[in-house]
Amino acid sequence: MRRKKYITLCVMFAFCLSSCNDWLDVRPETEQKDKDMFSTYDGFRDALTGCYMSLASQDIYGERLTMTHIESLANLWYMPDEQAETNRQADWVLKRHEYTSTYAEEAIQIIYAKLFNVIVQANMIIKNINERGTVIADPDMRSMIQGEAYAIRAYCQLDILRLFGQVPQGVQKVSLPYSETTSIYEMPSYYDFGSYIAKLEYDLNMAESLLENSDPIFQYSFNELNNGAFVGVDEFMLYRQSRLNYWAVKALKARMYLYMGDKTQAYKTAMEVINAKRNGQAVMTMSGVEDFALGYKLCPSECLFYLSKYNVMTYSQAFLIGGNAQVAYDARSHLVLTSSMFEELYDGQNINSHNRYWNVWNRNVTYGGQNYVATTKYYWNEETVNSPMLHYQIIPMLRMSEVYLIAMEATDQLTEANRLLQLYMRAHNVSDMPDFTTLKDVQPFVIDEYRREFFAEGQMFYTYKRINAHSMMWCDNAIEEQDYILPLPRTEYNPD
């Protein structure tokens, strides 16, 4: 009960950050107040936009759950041995899985509260569209908004599970809240692992069914929807990659199935995305070769879902350095790799042509005569880039590269694993990758590839957790099950 009470406190805290009368945590000045938010189509549209704005907050996917804290949990960043030598105290203790530290507790509390803030926003849309959705005249628009709200809730609740839930197939059991409430005064119910997964699957199935006949991605390609308005098409239906569209929901389902250990469904669902076609053309493919040739470091053309974040380079340079030439490493504020870590990251890879190796790292970081390596994923040259919105000012949330890795790991056929491997490596500009000799070779490669492919995108900790890995690269200590289970935040109502 004490933990359940904390949900209320978290959401109240997040709601009150801007003002006691505001409904959305981040809301435009022109947005309506909550009392009449859902009395018009524009109100529903603004509410959904608010959800995506909140998702892009630096306190969750804008930073903590992509670039910093989540990567520290996976031991990806180099940090000084002594805590006094860094200003990044939360990252320092999270890297060591010292969850009782005040710095860790504060960081965990913020992440938890912000995720549930977004979930309650999505719940409000779901509730009101059932009760007042007739104010949206277009039934396709109504279904699309409702489907995205279900998908947003599922996206956040899956990460609640991946952060705070038990290790799949683990010994320690954890019950977690799955919030379907629309008031900060309503207590969400708690569920065991199996029941929680059932809730996730229900929400994703709802999102899929609602989007199946309403998502404009069935009428137009992603590129067409990114290239401007169409006659008779509501502008809110454009730019589907920045929203949880139908194919992003499918990819999210594949991610969930692999996490829970259902490889049959994971492979089946991933292949539905890979094999999807419109007018005889693939709905989306991996884009590494083409995107890097154009200078796009986040592979935006293969993003099934990304968040728009116009100032991502401005704030991320403060800790990721970016591509600034000859930047001096500051141990107190920067997150980097040592040269030896970088060599280990690409050990065994054909670095002569590997486009990630050559295009998303800054090797010109120095300090005390030593070289360090920084990621340049969120950096671009403002003097040469004219329209950064679609290709640079983004935070990837679901990419085709992940879908291929899911299918590769989940298949029970060696020939299929090798077929997917060669397609995957060609997108990395590597054409001479040796085949797997047995299916046992597949998972170790995939695990290493998650580390290389999604650096600063927030996937490696979850990858370690779903396989219950007993060690992490660049971590000297053995990893135990409890290291993967972040404790639910503590307050005076939950002192244990």
Side-chain angles (χ1 to χ4, degrees):
M1 179 59 70
R2 288 174 178 175
R3 285 183 176 177
K4 291 180 182 179
K5 286 181 179 178
Y6 183 70
I7 298 290
T8 295
L9 295 176
C10 283
V11 177
M12 288 178 69
F13 168 74
F15 271 49
C16 293
L17 286 178
S18 55
S19 82
C20 294
N21 293 323
D22 286 347
W23 175 59
L24 294 175
D25 183 40
V26 180
R27 54 188 297 165
E29 292 181 2
T30 59
E31 200 167 271
Q32 301 175 67
K33 301 298 182 180
D34 59 310
K35 66 180 181 180
D36 61 350
M37 169 68 72
F38 299 106
S39 64
T40 65
Y41 159 57
D42 286 344
F44 277 99
R45 188 171 69 173
D46 289 346
L48 187 62
T49 299
C51 285
Y52 288 109
M53 291 171 65
S54 294
L55 284 171
S57 163
Q58 284 182 247
D59 283 332
I60 40 178
Y61 299 106
E63 180 193 325
R64 293 180 192 264
L65 289 182
T66 49
M67 307 172 198
T68 58
H69 293 350
I70 191 68
E71 302 297 62
S72 295
L73 285 168
N75 270 255
L76 295 189
W77 297 120
Y78 167 75
M79 299 199 76
D81 291 333
E82 298 298 324
Q83 187 172 1
E85 295 178 2
T86 180
N87 293 330
R88 302 200 63 84
Q89 295 294 316
D91 286 299
W92 195 92
V93 295
L94 289 172
K95 181 177 180 180
R96 290 158 176 79
H97 308 121
E98 295 177 2
Y99 301 137
T100 58
S101 162
T102 300
Y103 297 108
E105 288 181 345
E106 290 176 352
I108 290 168
Q109 176 180 339
I110 290 170
I111 291 168
Y112 192 71
K114 289 287 188 175
L115 285 172
F116 273 104
N117 176 246
V118 178
I119 290 167
V120 171
Q121 291 179 34
N123 290 345
M124 288 290 288
I125 296 172
I126 294 168
K127 173 180 181 291
N128 280 279
I129 211 162
N130 287 328
E131 297 175 355
R132 309 172 70 180
T134 53
V135 301
I136 306 173
D138 185 343
D140 286 343
M141 182 64 74
R142 185 163 59 245
S143 293
M144 190 176 75
I145 290 174
Q146 187 175 19
E148 288 185 46
Y150 273 107
I152 289 169
R153 180 167 77 186
Y155 196 105
C156 293
Q157 290 280 181
L158 176 57
D159 281 354
I160 291 287
L161 179 67
R162 297 200 295 177
L163 288 166
F164 300 94
Q166 66 196 55
V167 175
Q169 319 304 324
V171 175
Q172 185 174 340
K173 306 301 180 185
V174 179
S175 293
L176 290 175
Y178 200 99
S179 176
E180 298 167 288
T181 65
T182 57
S183 168
I184 61 175
Y185 301 107
E186 296 178 58
M187 298 296 180
S189 299
Y190 277 54
Y191 299 91
D192 62 19
F193 185 83
S195 300
Y196 193 103
I197 288 291
K199 286 284 185 182
L200 274 172
E201 192 169 18
Y202 173 84
D203 277 358
L204 288 170
N205 285 338
M206 283 294 294
E208 182 181 334
S209 64
L210 286 161
L211 292 167
E212 188 170 17
N213 295 314
S214 62
D215 197 326
I217 199 60
F218 292 105
Q219 297 176 271
Y220 307 97
S221 70
F222 282 111
N223 284 336
E224 287 173 330
L225 291 168
N226 287 341
N227 287 333
F230 296 89
V231 176
V233 175
D234 190 309
E235 64 177 13
F236 196 56
M237 287 191 168
L238 304 178
Y239 308 108
R240 295 300 291 155
Q241 285 175 275
S242 66
R243 309 253 292 279
L244 276 159
N245 59 79
Y246 177 85
W247 295 112
V249 170
K250 281 284 192 182
L252 185 58
K253 286 181 75 173
R255 176 187 284 179
M256 177 196 71
Y257 285 130
L258 186 64
Y259 186 78
M260 63 186 281
D262 189 342
K263 289 189 174 182
T264 300
Q265 285 297 324
Y267 173 76
K268 175 180 178 292
T269 310
M271 291 308 299
E272 288 177 6
V273 181
I274 291 170
N275 293 331
K277 288 183 170 54
R278 181 185 165 275
N279 295 335
Q281 299 295 316
V283 168
M284 184 170 286
T285 61
M286 290 178 290
S287 67
V289 172
E290 296 80 8
D291 274 5
F292 283 116
L294 295 170
Y296 306 155
K297 300 175 183 179
L298 289 165
C299 294
S301 301
E302 73 167 47
C303 284
L304 290 157
F305 171 41
Y306 61 68
L307 295 172
S308 296
K309 193 69 172 176
Y310 76 95
N311 61 340
V312 63
M313 182 172 72
T314 302
Y315 67 76
S316 66
Q317 282 190 92
F319 48 87
L320 294 184
I321 299 176
N324 293 325
Q326 303 299 326
V327 171
Y329 165 60
D330 179 358
R332 305 198 68 83
S333 59
H334 291 155
L335 296 171
V336 298
L337 301 181
T338 64
S339 294
S340 62
M341 290 170 69
F342 186 65
E343 291 174 4
E344 289 180 78
L345 184 65
Y346 286 93
D347 183 45
Q349 298 297 295
N350 181 355
I351 60 173
N352 292 324
S353 61
H354 200 296
N355 51 28
R356 273 62 165 175
Y357 180 90
W358 290 106
N359 289 289
V360 299
W361 300 99
N362 173 9
R363 300 171 181 77
N364 296 319
V365 180
T366 60
Y367 175 75
Q370 300 294 318
N371 290 329
Y372 297 87
V373 181
T375 183
T376 62
K377 281 188 173 183
Y378 299 96
Y379 174 86
W380 62 91
N381 188 334
E382 292 181 293
E383 295 181 359
T384 60
V385 173
N386 294 322
S387 301
M389 183 185 75
L390 294 178
H391 302 116
Y392 300 93
Q393 295 173 338
I394 66 171
I395 297 167
M397 301 284 272
L398 285 160
R399 292 204 279 121
M400 283 298 291
S401 289
E402 180 182 358
V403 177
Y404 270 80
L405 289 174
I406 291 171
M408 197 186 307
E409 183 177 353
T411 182
D412 59 1
Q413 300 295 316
L414 181 61
T415 54
E416 174 68 345
N418 282 322
R419 183 185 74 87
L420 293 166
L421 171 67
Q422 297 306 325
L423 291 171
Y424 178 86
M425 293 311 299
R426 272 178 228 155
H428 293 66
N429 203 36
V430 175
S431 58
D432 57 353
M433 184 73 183
D435 281 346
F436 300 120
T437 56
T438 71
L439 282 174
K440 291 182 180 179
D441 299 332
V442 178
Q443 189 180 77
F445 168 82
V446 170
I447 302 309
D448 287 342
E449 196 58 32
Y450 266 86
R451 190 184 300 108
R452 286 186 286 264
E453 182 68 19
F454 303 111
F455 217 106
E457 295 181 41
Q459 292 302 319
M460 196 61 212
F461 177 74
Y462 307 134
T463 304
Y464 282 135
K465 181 171 180 174
R466 70 175 170 81
I467 65 170
N468 198 13
H470 298 301
S471 63
M472 294 180 178
M473 184 178 282
W474 309 319
C475 179
D476 295 331
N477 301 323
I479 304 299
E480 300 180 2
E481 192 171 322
Q482 61 263 27
D483 294 324
Y484 290 119
I485 304 172
L486 273 63
L488 294 175
R490 301 193 309 131
T491 69
E492 64 271 21
Y493 294 95
N494 180 24
D496 297 330

